[in-house]
Amino acid sequence: MSSPLSAPSAAPASRPRPSRAPAGVRVRPQERGWAPYAFLSPYLLLTSVFFFVPFLDAIGLAFFETNGPRTRVFVGLANFHFLFTDSTFYRALWNTTVFACASVFVQLPLSMGLAILLNSSKGRLRGMLRLVLFSPNLVGQIFVGILFSTLFTPRYGLINRAFHALFGWGLEVWWLSNPWLVMPALVLTSLWVWVGFNMVYFLAALQGVDRSLEEAARIDGASEWQVFRFVTLPSMRHVTVFVVVTSVIGSYQLFELPLALLHSTEGAGPENSGLTLITYLNNVAFHLGDLGLGSAVGWIAALIIFFVSMIQIRVSRVLED
Amino acid sequence: MVEKFPYGKAPFWLLAIALASVAGRWLVMGHGDARADLLIVANSPSHFEAYKNAVPRFERKHGVHVEVQFAHWTALQSRLESAMLAGADVPDLVELLEGSLGFFTRGPREDVGLLDLADRVEAEGFDRRLVASRLSSWSTVDGRIYALPNDVHPVMLAYRRDLVAQLGIDVTKLDTWDAFVEAGRRVTRDVDGDGVVDHYMIDLPYDGNWALTSLLLQHGGQLFDRAGNIAFNSDITTEVFAWYLRQTHGPRKIAYDAGWGQALGKAMVDGLVVFYWAPDWRSRFFADEVPSLAGHMALMPLPAWDKGGRRTSVWGGTGLMISRRTPRPDLAWELAKFLYFDPTEMGKRFEATNIIPVLRDAWTMPELDAPNPYYSNEPIGRMYADLAPDVPPSYVSPLTAVAGTELDEAFSRCVSYYERFGEEGLTDAIHRELSRAEAYVQRLAERANWMARAP
Amino acid sequence: MNPTRLVVFAALAVFAALCARSPGRTLIYLRFLLLGLAATVVLAPFAWLLAAIFKDRTVFDEYLFLPPPAEWSSRTLNLDNFRELFRGRPSVHGTAYFWQYVLNSTAYATVSTVLNLFFCSLAGFALAKYDFRGKAALLVLMLGSMTIPSALLLPPLYNMVVDLGMVDSLTGLIVPGMVSAYGIFLFRQACMSVPDEMLDAGRIDGCSEIAIYFRLVMPLVRPMAAAFCLMTFLGTWNSFFTPNVFLQTQKNFTLPIVLYMYVNDYQSNYGVFLAGTALAMLPPMVLFLALEKEFISGLTSGAVKG
């Protein structure tokens, strides 16, 4: 890290001196002029073209019925009326909500637990284990889904064979053809992908906890569990809220994983047991070409996400007090 | 140099790879082969082979270069439609699967990426020269014809001749389904007392599937009528559903689900099932998969629903569409006619696949009368051709796929009902399920702003 | 008593013995046991995949992982899956080869990453080190834009890309995604820790603003740049939804699209698409191993300090 003042210079006399700033006086940031605008202009330009315009378009698109990108006809609220009377849409909504609950109440405790376990480990071992447990997240959702669709094969797949080898049953369980087992299979797969990911966040948060506070609590006679519940956990508040919010938002956008896992039914699963909100959007908008109905679904998804995020931020504020 | 890169080592190498891969793509993609005069895509491996072999003759005759490609249907359908709507490059001719036309014609007429062939068909008299009912699968309610039918696919029953003789069945008396069921009940029982039924009369899938549709069409039922209205909530469908439930799930059922592949072959060889649903293409399938039964099999027309009624049905089909944006529509039309109607090609195809031509003029060809050794030297081509004019139409709509799914689900619910309550209230239950399915499809029909209406 | 149960019982026996010997360290041994279990569960699918891609299809279902060494031969273990994967297959636009898809994915991922790096770091630097009119409002807007799910914008974006004639090309994929608000925030965070004095000194020395960016600031935020590159690369290499919608013809497909297609095509020969999947997993793994530390710190910097 070398100071620019020590950088080799050409003939000093030929370098122009900023006329407004005598040497040694700090230049006020306001006088940067065009620079920030220029630096931000690519972002501003791209966002206005490829974000704001589609955003505004999306507001209107939901009130049209389209056949592909070029043809559209105004239908008013008919799209929403259709969605609210469509049993398939409700199934998708239900499935996605169940998955979101599972990811908060099953996945996050596991991530937290692993983070706690890993926190007490020494440096090198911790680094290695963190790498191992995080690695599934590197693989794209599509690839994970493809891999696990073969692991869930009855009789020959890894999962059934493991159950059979350990417990003596489960060889012929048809995970992906049984409507009741599709969601558990999906949840199991998502655990494999995301437990390590959230664990990394929790681990970083744990390492940022003030040790002296914990020590003080222990000296005061608190048990380990009490230390954890009343000192450690509250100081991880921010990260926990962040992880919960991102988990729920991610759950409501789940698409590629069930699509690949249930590829034989294009993501829907037997009796639509694996259909998620975004899979429904994809089928409607891009298989059937009705981008208007797809936009309507997208709006409902966005509103749900917004709603849930607001609730959680509220809850976290309440927890804070 | 790497160290002086402002962003660091990894970004430097990423930039290097980015530049290299872009250059690589440009080099590779930029110089493709010159586009052929015509590009045709087949959706089945056997068609692909047949067309590849046929095309050189066409190329020589017209002095052009034709490229034949193959693509799986599942990947092809949706991509083809979105490519047509988005204006991307589309092949000149594509083979479509039976029932899929509606998917491409669901939008307004301007959006349909297929060339309307009605004028050419009428001008060259194909509406009379082809089995007319086959055109129904490739036409829309407003009278446009969007693809050329490839086949007729009349259905007969294939049976084990030796078994039939052994069990004392007189196939000439099986002219109605009632007679067939009666004979079936005598046959379907446990002969040797080991607790397991030894012979089932007929092979039918337990979940309905293709057989249900085929039987429905034979009986005069339809998913949609000629004007595009929903037609499956009818007494005919109810009758077919009830009949099918009894034969596949009832206490005196006569059907067994032999499935496909190895299981089916075994059922045939063991004599577990006597009669099999045999459209022309499937008759060849049996001959190829179970050669050991050569000389022991035979074919008979389907029993009719009513005395004197239709003795055949239909199962499957392919059509050839021409893209509306092809630069050479006339040449494409010539290629379509060549591949589908050229006499030499049709003769070769019959010999390779047992599939009879959809062009009536071609039924004079001698290959059809050839005795088929697998089927006890019967002239099966002639037998199928005799039934071909009776093949029922199958009207298609943009909602065909949805209706099919709903009908399957309705049948599955009827199976649950039947297994719990049997005959009691069965007709009403079937009515209920069909009405529910109809309501679902009706909702979608009301939404569909561009569904072509009958003039 | 099969081998699996044998291993499990042995592990439990060792555990019990260790606990009996030094009861005070029970929790520590328990920790190792649980972490070991977690690591096994996580690694098992990878191990299975690695074994599966080399197994011949005739013995694929016979052995869970690899056949015992006694059975190793070119009949049971070979590269047939890869051979089939790289074989040219007839497609609508002529023969298509697997390496073409690899090239498409590579171009898409690397170009996206590099462009994102430039634009996000530039904007992040501007937001960190400059004051200007509308800065607060812009920050709020950017934050808000991050809450919109991308699936909502996909239909109208698709319309737009079709109208611009960029559909069915990598350009259409890359251009709309060239900059992200999330990346800008990350770089803003990183740039804020660059001391102001250094920038002033540079200005006094006569550096233009852009030179300050390139020569002073960027070298200092290299860890974040590395982390961001990895994040963006992962996101674009593995992305399926948008490319699947935008790309129409097979010659332009990226790896996720192709492998999803292959799952249906090779239902009787899993080894082929599994081999493709394994190959597709390699570049992210390699990049991750190289940039692990920076990645973890960059990933958590947004959450922990926030």
Side-chain angles (χ1 to χ4, degrees):
Chain A
M1 218 168 32
S2 59
S3 154
L5 288 177
S6 63
S9 57
S14 62
R15 244 189 296 138
R17 291 200 170 268
S19 50
R20 274 178 294 166
V25 175
R26 196 156 167 266
V27 181
R28 288 192 297 278
Q30 281 82 351
E31 295 170 353
R32 284 292 80 77
W34 55 268
Y37 298 111
F39 291 169
L40 282 167
S41 56
Y43 169 71
L44 292 172
L45 183 64
L46 284 167
T47 316
S48 42
V49 172
F50 293 112
F51 180 84
F52 279 118
V53 172
F55 183 72
L56 295 171
D57 203 3
I59 295 176
L61 199 55
F63 300 109
F64 285 81
E65 182 184 338
T66 82
N67 182 48
R70 297 199 205 279
T71 321
R72 59 174 70 174
V73 67
F74 183 75
V75 292
L77 290 172
N79 285 343
F80 293 99
H81 180 254
F82 177 82
L83 288 176
F84 291 131
T85 53
D86 187 16
S87 55
T88 317
F89 177 71
Y90 283 117
R91 185 71 208 244
L93 204 51
W94 170 254
N95 288 341
T96 316
T97 309
V98 166
F99 183 82
C101 291
S103 65
V104 170
F105 295 114
V106 176
Q107 200 192 95
L108 292 191
L110 279 176
S111 301
M112 176 76 85
L114 278 176
I116 295 171
L117 289 178
L118 214 51
N119 195 29
S120 339
S121 301
K122 279 187 277 294
R124 265 199 73 178
L125 187 65
R126 176 167 68 210
M128 218 176 64
L129 276 174
R130 187 180 62 183
L131 176 62
V132 166
L133 293 172
F134 183 80
S135 55
N137 202 250
L138 297 173
V139 181
Q141 280 188 43
I142 278 281
F143 302 127
V144 173
I146 290 174
L147 176 60
F148 271 75
S149 70
T150 53
L151 296 183
F152 276 118
T153 337
R155 188 181 278 229
Y156 299 116
L158 178 63
I159 296 185
N160 280 13
R161 279 219 192 159
F163 272 122
H164 183 75
L166 286 173
F167 307 117
W169 52 258
L171 201 57
E172 293 285 353
V173 175
W174 284 77
W175 286 94
L176 302 178
S177 318
N178 183 336
W180 293 102
L181 289 179
V182 165
M183 190 50 79
L186 205 49
V187 171
L188 278 177
T189 313
S190 73
L191 286 181
W192 187 77
V193 180
W194 281 300
V195 163
F197 179 74
N198 289 317
M199 177 199 78
V200 165
Y201 279 107
F202 284 135
L203 193 59
L206 275 174
Q207 289 174 342
V209 166
D210 196 347
R211 297 260 169 253
S212 53
L213 278 177
E214 289 184 331
E215 277 310 308
R218 279 196 200 97
I219 289 168
D220 275 349
S223 72
E224 278 305 316
W225 168 248
Q226 283 170 323
V227 170
F228 179 72
R229 191 169 169 321
F230 295 112
V231 179
T232 320
L233 213 48
S235 61
M236 290 172 57
R237 221 180 20 246
H238 280 132
V239 175
T240 312
V241 168
F242 176 80
V243 168
V244 170
V245 170
T246 48
S247 278
V248 171
I249 292 180
S251 304
Y252 274 99
Q253 299 186 13
L254 189 70
F255 165 62
E256 300 178 2
L257 190 59
L259 185 73
L261 193 64
L262 304 164
H263 55 82
S264 50
T265 48
E266 294 201 25
E271 295 178 22
N272 287 330
S273 48
L275 189 68
T276 66
L277 207 53
I278 304 298
T279 312
Y280 184 85
L281 189 157
N282 179 58
N283 288 347
V284 150
F286 300 110
H287 273 193
L288 296 179
D290 194 347
L291 297 160
L293 189 58
S295 284
V297 177
W299 275 112
I300 295 178
L303 284 173
I304 293 177
I305 289 175
F306 180 73
F307 212 51
V308 171
S309 314
M310 286 296 111
I311 292 180
Q312 279 162 349
I313 293 176
R314 267 299 177 73
V315 167
S316 83
R317 282 221 195 99
V318 165
L319 281 180
E320 218 161 300
D321 319 317
Chain B
M1 182 176 68
V2 180
E3 286 72 42
K4 285 184 64 181
F5 191 64
Y7 301 100
K9 244 178 27 169
F12 173 79
W13 288 113
L14 282 172
L15 178 62
I17 297 174
L19 292 171
S21 55
V22 168
R25 275 195 92 235
W26 183 81
L27 278 172
V28 168
M29 311 285 179
H31 312 293
D33 298 315
R35 196 186 189 283
D37 293 293
L38 283 181
L39 174 62
I40 174 171
V41 178
N43 65 32
S44 89
S46 60
H47 290 195
F48 175 58
E49 290 301 324
Y51 299 158
K52 261 201 352 196
N53 294 332
V55 144
R57 212 154 45 92
F58 182 85
E59 287 179 314
R60 277 194 300 273
K61 182 164 161 211
H62 291 265
V64 293
H65 172 50
V66 174
E67 182 136 337
V68 183
Q69 294 299 347
F70 167 73
H72 279 292
W73 181 247
T74 41
L76 186 58
Q77 183 179 8
S78 169
R79 288 210 186 279
L80 189 61
E81 175 68 354
S82 50
M84 288 196 282
L85 287 174
D89 203 14
V90 169
D92 301 286
L93 299 105
V94 182
E95 268 198 323
L96 307 177
L97 272 193
E98 173 81 10
S100 69
L101 180 70
F103 185 77
F104 298 100
T105 58
R106 64 179 186 235
R109 195 177 279 182
E110 315 81 69
D111 275 358
V112 177
L114 288 63
L115 188 65
D116 178 16
L117 303 173
D119 293 333
R120 290 170 211 264
V121 164
E122 271 163 52
E124 299 185 39
F126 282 115
D127 47 343
R128 284 168 288 108
R129 293 165 62 195
L130 301 173
V131 176
S133 65
R134 295 306 282 154
L135 281 172
S136 65
S137 305
W138 306 108
S139 321
T140 51
V141 294
D142 52 356
R144 288 160 186 264
I145 302 174
Y146 283 114
L148 222 46
N150 183 28
D151 38 50
V152 194
H153 292 334
V155 177
M156 288 206 268
L157 286 180
Y159 61 93
R160 286 270 308 262
R161 208 163 43 91
D162 50 343
L163 258 188
V164 150
Q166 176 196 325
L167 294 170
I169 304 173
D170 183 0
V171 296
T172 57
K173 296 251 170 51
L174 301 178
D175 56 347
T176 64
W177 282 116
D178 287 338
F180 187 87
V181 168
E182 204 189 300
R185 286 189 180 146
R186 275 189 293 109
V187 161
T188 306
R189 55 199 178 80
D190 176 17
V191 169
D192 51 13
D194 62 353
V196 171
V197 172
D198 296 289
H199 303 289
Y200 286 90
M201 189 66 166
I202 186 168
D203 163 38
L204 291 175
Y206 292 144
D207 62 353
N209 216 307
W210 47 265
L212 198 57
T213 316
S214 210
L215 282 161
L216 180 66
L217 289 172
Q218 183 198 9
H219 202 356
Q222 288 286 340
L223 286 182
F224 295 91
D225 65 15
R226 190 184 226 127
N229 303 315
I230 298 173
F232 58 80
N233 187 12
S234 67
D235 292 331
I236 295 179
T237 315
T238 310
E239 194 186 324
V240 173
F241 264 43
W243 183 92
Y244 201 93
L245 281 169
R246 284 181 205 118
Q247 312 320 330
T248 52
H249 292 89
R252 293 199 291 168
K253 63 182 199 181
I254 62 168
Y256 180 80
D257 189 350
W260 293 86
Q262 271 186 306
L264 176 61
K266 192 160 191 309
M268 290 174 72
V269 167
D270 289 350
L272 181 61
V273 179
V274 186
F275 287 87
Y276 299 87
W277 209 255
D280 52 5
W281 53 269
R282 210 180 191 215
S283 71
R284 181 49 171 247
F285 171 79
F286 293 145
D288 288 339
E289 296 291 310
V290 197
S292 57
L293 290 178
H296 297 294
M297 296 290 287
L299 291 167
M300 64 166 265
L302 291 184
W305 281 96
D306 307 304
K307 199 127 184 126
R310 187 187 273 134
R311 294 202 65 174
T312 187
S313 184
V314 69
W315 179 9
T318 312
L320 192 58
M321 71 84 147
I322 299 178
S323 156
R324 213 168 49 145
R325 267 188 271 114
T326 177
R328 309 190 61 169
D330 295 319
L331 188 64
W333 172 247
E334 291 302 316
L335 179 62
K337 282 191 300 175
F338 172 79
L339 290 174
Y340 273 22
F341 305 140
D342 180 84
T344 329
E345 291 310 313
M346 289 190 286
K348 276 197 254 173
R349 190 178 71 170
F350 178 73
E351 283 178 341
T353 61
N354 285 6
I355 295 177
I356 66 163
V358 62
L359 191 64
R360 290 173 194 262
D361 310 343
W363 291 348
T364 52
M365 66 188 194
E367 288 92 331
L368 291 184
D369 292 299
N372 187 303
Y374 189 84
Y375 290 99
S376 313
N377 288 325
E378 291 174 341
I380 65 170
R382 184 55 52 201
M383 291 169 76
Y384 276 118
D386 286 340
L387 290 171
D390 288 334
V391 159
S394 176
Y395 301 109
V396 74
S397 150
L399 299 168
T400 296
V402 174
T405 316
E406 287 305 306
L407 214 59
D408 285 341
E409 208 180 303
F411 183 74
S412 149
R413 291 216 188 96
C414 290
V415 169
S416 310
Y417 181 91
Y418 186 69
E419 285 177 342
R420 282 185 67 191
F421 302 107
E423 292 287 336
E424 195 185 308
L426 182 63
T427 322
D428 290 331
I430 299 178
H431 271 307
R432 265 201 316 273
E433 294 303 333
L434 288 178
S435 299
R436 180 207 298 231
E438 184 188 27
Y440 188 89
V441 180
Q442 189 60 34
R443 261 177 77 239
L444 291 172
E446 272 151 21
R447 238 190 87 72
N449 263 287
W450 299 294
M451 253 176 61
R453 311 273 171 219
Chain C
M1 180 68 75
N2 56 52
T4 320
R5 290 205 188 150
L6 211 62
V7 167
V8 171
F9 277 130
L12 287 175
V14 167
F15 174 68
L18 284 172
C19 288
R21 257 212 316 164
S22 33
R25 294 164 68 89
T26 310
L27 278 180
I28 298 178
Y29 294 134
L30 187 65
R31 187 157 51 83
F32 280 125
L33 192 70
L34 289 175
L35 284 175
L37 181 66
T40 312
V41 168
V42 162
L43 288 177
F46 285 126
W48 184 89
L49 179 64
L50 206 56
I53 58 185
F54 295 112
K55 276 195 288 201
D56 192 82
R57 77 189 276 188
T58 49
V59 299
F60 191 86
D61 286 324
E62 249 181 82
Y63 309 106
L64 184 58
F65 290 97
L66 293 172
E71 306 256 345
W72 287 9
S73 74
S74 65
R75 186 186 64 88
T76 53
L77 295 177
N78 52 45
L79 293 176
D80 276 351
N81 291 327
F82 291 95
R83 234 166 262 143
E84 174 66 21
L85 186 69
F86 284 100
R87 187 175 64 87
R89 297 154 45 110
S91 84
V92 174
H93 284 263
T95 322
Y97 295 95
F98 191 71
W99 57 260
Q100 281 172 290
Y101 309 128
V102 176
L103 194 58
N104 288 339
S105 267
T106 310
Y108 172 49
T110 50
V111 173
S112 277
T113 304
V114 164
L115 288 176
N116 259 287
L117 177 64
F118 178 59
F119 292 128
C120 289
S121 57
L122 205 56
F125 169 59
L127 284 173
K129 290 296 174 190
Y130 294 87
D131 276 329
F132 51 90
R133 279 239 303 260
K135 177 174 173 179
L138 183 61
L139 280 170
V140 169
L141 268 178
M142 277 173 56
L143 208 58
S145 77
M146 277 168 40
T147 63
I148 312 282
S150 59
L152 172 63
L153 298 175
L154 198 52
L157 191 61
Y158 174 67
N159 283 347
M160 175 183 286
V161 165
V162 168
D163 288 336
L164 290 173
M166 293 198 304
V167 78
D168 196 28
S169 72
L170 289 188
T171 318
L173 276 180
I174 294 174
V175 169
M178 278 203 289
V179 66
S180 78
Y182 180 64
I184 296 179
F185 272 113
L186 282 180
F187 276 107
R188 172 169 177 260
Q189 189 108 348
C191 288
M192 289 206 292
S193 54
V194 172
D196 288 331
E197 297 76 41
M198 174 167 289
L199 302 185
D200 289 328
R203 289 185 189 115
I204 291 166
D205 263 356
C207 283
S208 64
E209 299 303 314
I210 192 76
I212 289 178
Y213 163 79
F214 271 119
R215 292 169 60 189
L216 299 184
V217 181
M218 283 301 108
L220 292 180
V221 299
R222 278 182 185 181
M224 182 53 89
F228 179 71
C229 278
L230 180 60
M231 261 184 248
T232 315
F233 183 85
L234 282 183
T236 47
W237 179 268
N238 290 328
S239 90
F240 172 82
F241 197 1
T242 311
N244 191 44
V245 168
F246 282 16
L247 300 173
Q248 314 286 347
T249 51
Q250 201 162 333
K251 62 176 162 63
N252 290 327
F253 285 175
T254 56
L255 283 175
I257 304 175
V258 167
L259 287 170
Y260 178 66
M261 219 170 65
Y262 281 5
V263 176
N264 286 315
D265 283 354
Y266 285 105
Q267 270 302 296
S268 52
N269 191 3
Y270 288 171
V272 179
F273 66 77
L274 287 175
T277 310
L279 285 180
M281 289 185 189
L282 275 183
M285 291 279 188
V286 165
L287 198 57
F288 179 74
L289 284 174
L291 299 175
E292 188 207 344
K293 281 198 190 51
E294 293 95 332
F295 181 67
I296 303 283
S297 70
L299 191 68
T300 54
S301 72
V304 180
K305 286 172 193 145

